[in-house]
Amino acid sequence: MSDSFKTKLVLAITIVFWASAFVGIRIGLEGYSPGSMALFRFLIASICMFFISFHKIKIQKINNKDVFWLVLVGAIGLGCYHVALNYGELTVPSGIASFIISQSPLLTMM
């Protein structure tokens, strides 16, 4: 398999999973609370990153002074985003939620 084909395949898989994430969240919220759903998604991501980290050849050390800020930004930024997204999907259809989230780069640019 060529590198170009692998890249296109990985991009296609990413787009399919990203597009179906909002529908999956909506379905998952039928059985889980928004906070539990966010925690479940982070658990899955952590497991995936655990296995990916074994394939990384060189791991760059993080400065001790940066660890605090990374944890803070991760906990507040990502944590609040995912819980707020899950709460929003309780009242907004998944298609509209996907559209709203896809507009964030435009809002960031302004």
Side-chain angles (χ1 to χ4, degrees):
M1 237 187 283
S2 69
D3 287 340
S4 175
F5 178 75
K6 287 180 185 179
T7 302
K8 289 177 183 176
L9 180 66
V10 169
L11 286 174
I13 291 170
T14 301
I15 290 170
V16 168
F17 279 135
W18 193 300
S20 63
F22 297 96
V23 176
I25 292 169
R26 184 71 167 197
I27 292 169
L29 287 172
E30 292 176 5
Y32 295 102
S33 70
S36 298
M37 187 69 183
L39 184 63
F40 183 63
R41 291 177 67 200
F42 285 133
L43 177 67
I44 292 171
S46 297
I47 292 170
C48 291
M49 289 306 294
F50 176 77
F51 289 111
I52 289 171
S53 69
F54 283 120
H55 295 297
K56 187 158 178 72
I57 296 169
K58 182 181 178 185
I59 298 175
Q60 187 175 1
K61 273 301 238 195
I62 299 173
N63 291 336
N64 289 335
K65 66 178 184 172
D66 293 335
V67 171
F68 170 76
W69 293 109
L70 286 171
V71 170
L72 183 69
V73 169
I76 293 174
L78 290 175
C80 290
Y81 164 78
H82 284 280
V83 172
L85 173 65
N86 293 342
Y87 271 110
E89 286 233 16
L90 290 173
T91 57
V92 177
S94 57
I96 299 298
S98 173
F99 177 76
I100 292 169
I101 295 299
S102 70
Q103 300 306 307
S104 63
L106 293 173
L107 296 174
T108 303
M109 186 179 72
M110 298 172 127

